[in-house]
Amino acid sequence: MRRTAIFVAASAMTLSLAGCGMLNATSDGASARPTKGNDITVGLLLPENVNTRYEKFDLPIIKDKVRSLTGGKGKVQYANAEQKADKQSSQLQAMIDDKVDVILLDAVDSHAIAGDVKKAKDAGIPVIAYDRLAEGPIDGYVSFDNELVGEVQGRTLLEAMGDGDHTSDKIVMMNGSPTDPNAAQFKQGALAELNGKVNIAESYDTKDWDPDNAKANMAEAIQAIGVDKIAAVYSANDAMAGGIVKALKAAGRTDLPPITGQDAELSAVHRILAGDQYMSVYKSYPQEADAAAEMAVAKVQGHGIQFDALTSDKVDSPTKKGIPAQLVSVVALTKSNIMDTVVADGIYKVSEICTAKYAAACKENKVK
Ligand code: GAL
């Protein structure tokens, strides 16, 4: 599912009607309903709250953006599934019952939720997949370029291992949840970089992205490989990297091998400064979340041209081809670019990063 960047060509008929503000333009010619004004409700379904990104960034950014796009009149109705697919299914059903105008869905289980997406669609509520590509008849998708995330992780890990031949160096691969389609893409991107260059001695898919599961899997890998023989660890995200670091330290390893991550969590920025984690992937949440709010509002207000302009990429899910999409780029976060990424974007203040414990590392890495 590599992006193809084809510009969406909506039919002239749909565009001209949408341009007059008369119809809710859908490129697939589905039900035409009267265009909504600013008094709209955007349903937002987020998957979990262990990773800080969801409630610290995604949620407030989407709320603010919906408010500002609707002159303060639009609302966000929010629910978090706490990593439970059945809970998310009921939350989506409740939003259908409440007749929200559009749903932004970040799926716990992209396959299991397909039936509920269909129910929303049948009730005339458009569903936009947020961050993870839900199956079923979704109207659009906004995410990061997830294969690129994996490539950036793989490439940076190799850089950290240094020049020379690493083909027999043993690394551990800790991938994300099998119910999250992003996890498969991260893995695919990382393997494209790592295959043939290192020895992937142990590889795990981590149930629920749970840091405790990652810690337990890591303890198993340490048993199998030997704690001092591990040359590097590919961790798909920061929360799991935290569990991996704990397992390595518990096994007595003091000089930690390079470890990857993703999400630029504050705890990961701290581990990077302390030398316990080599990198994270910085994904600009403002960019993704703003785009999601813009797409949702454009969709319900019938601004077809705007919606098409926001979704100039195309992706395929297992159940739908050519989904209009926006894929946002990402960058590696290492100790050398903390200022240019998370600080420049206002994600963290220097004062939050450079607490007493990290003052020396901040000075050394020019975080000020
Ligand atoms: C992914 C998401 C990551 C991270 C991870 C763990 O789908 O893209 O940013 O949050 O889930 O839940």
Side-chain angles (χ1 to χ4, degrees):
M1 196 206 67
R2 197 74 181 124
R3 104 170 99 155
T4 43
I6 304 167
F7 203 80
V8 180
S11 79
M13 169 84 166
T14 314
L15 289 177
S16 62
L17 290 173
C20 302
M22 290 168 63
L23 292 179
N24 181 8
T26 50
S27 323
D28 56 5
S31 60
R33 292 175 291 117
T35 301
K36 301 265 179 174
N38 277 334
D39 191 11
I40 57 172
T41 303
V42 176
L44 173 63
L45 293 161
L46 293 180
E48 49 119 326
N49 52 17
V50 172
N51 281 279
T52 48
R53 60 164 288 185
Y54 297 111
E55 296 198 341
K56 193 164 160 52
F57 304 114
D58 301 80
L59 173 62
I61 297 170
I62 291 173
K63 273 190 179 163
D64 281 359
K65 192 71 182 179
V66 167
R67 218 177 287 130
S68 77
L69 288 168
T70 55
K73 295 205 178 116
K75 290 191 301 286
V76 170
Q77 185 173 322
Y78 167 64
N80 189 300
E82 291 164 0
Q83 198 61 265
K84 297 181 192 84
D86 52 346
K87 183 163 184 177
Q88 189 165 61
S89 169
S90 343
Q91 290 173 336
L92 203 157
Q93 189 56 55
M95 287 190 179
I96 298 174
D97 297 342
D98 291 347
K99 298 193 171 52
V100 301
D101 295 298
V102 58
I103 294 172
L104 287 170
L105 166 64
D106 194 340
V108 173
D109 185 324
S110 60
H111 180 70
I113 202 75
D116 299 300
V117 173
K118 168 94 173 36
K119 283 188 202 157
K121 182 82 180 173
D122 291 346
I125 303 171
V127 178
I128 295 169
Y130 183 64
D131 200 80
R132 300 177 182 170
L133 187 55
E135 292 181 24
I138 56 166
D139 291 85
Y141 175 53
V142 53
S143 189
F144 294 99
D145 185 336
N146 293 310
E147 208 171 309
L148 178 65
V149 171
E151 287 166 14
V152 165
Q153 291 170 321
R155 224 177 290 143
T156 315
L157 193 65
L158 291 175
E159 266 163 43
M161 292 173 79
D163 295 337
D165 179 9
H166 297 289
T167 44
S168 52
D169 286 357
K170 292 184 176 165
I171 79 155
V172 177
M173 195 169 196
M174 202 68 70
N175 300 295
S177 164
T179 63
D180 176 353
N182 291 353
Q185 285 192 281
F186 302 148
K187 184 175 177 177
Q188 191 182 325
L191 285 175
E193 296 293 327
L194 298 172
N195 269 338
K197 306 216 178 88
V198 291
N199 172 1
I200 302 171
E202 300 289 332
S203 176
Y204 301 88
D205 292 324
T206 314
K207 187 171 182 298
D208 294 341
W209 285 99
D210 185 337
D212 291 334
N213 293 342
K215 186 175 166 217
N217 289 339
M218 191 63 205
E220 208 182 281
I222 291 168
Q223 280 295 317
I225 303 170
V227 72
D228 293 319
K229 300 254 161 52
I230 296 169
V233 183
Y234 167 88
S235 168
N237 81 359
D238 288 338
M240 296 198 305
I244 290 164
V245 167
K246 281 189 197 148
L248 284 164
K249 287 189 173 172
R253 179 100 178 225
T254 44
D255 60 322
L256 293 183
I259 301 169
T260 61
Q262 163 180 204
D263 288 334
E265 300 225 329
L266 185 56
S267 57
V269 175
H270 282 150
R271 281 193 296 273
I272 290 171
L273 280 168
D276 282 354
Q277 182 176 328
Y278 187 75
M279 64 90 72
S280 181
V281 177
Y282 174 56
K283 317 203 298 195
S284 167
Y285 303 120
Q287 242 178 294
E288 184 188 36
D290 280 352
E294 282 166 3
M295 282 166 66
V297 173
K299 195 80 201 164
V300 277
Q301 293 185 336
H303 298 138
I305 297 175
Q306 205 175 321
F307 186 83
D308 291 346
L310 285 163
T311 51
S312 56
D313 295 316
K314 290 263 193 136
V315 299
D316 297 339
S317 82
T319 57
K320 192 174 173 183
K321 302 269 170 274
I323 299 159
Q326 181 173 149
L327 300 179
V328 177
S329 198
V330 301
V331 290
L333 168 65
T334 61
K335 59 183 175 187
S336 66
N337 64 351
I338 293 171
M339 289 303 290
D340 305 333
T341 53
V342 287
V343 176
D345 275 10
I347 302 292
Y348 306 121
K349 294 194 201 73
V350 168
S351 59
E352 288 173 276
I353 298 173
C354 300
T355 52
K357 192 171 169 195
Y358 301 96
C362 278
K363 195 160 176 233
E364 195 185 316
N365 293 291
K366 302 193 171 57
V367 182
K368 57 179 185 209

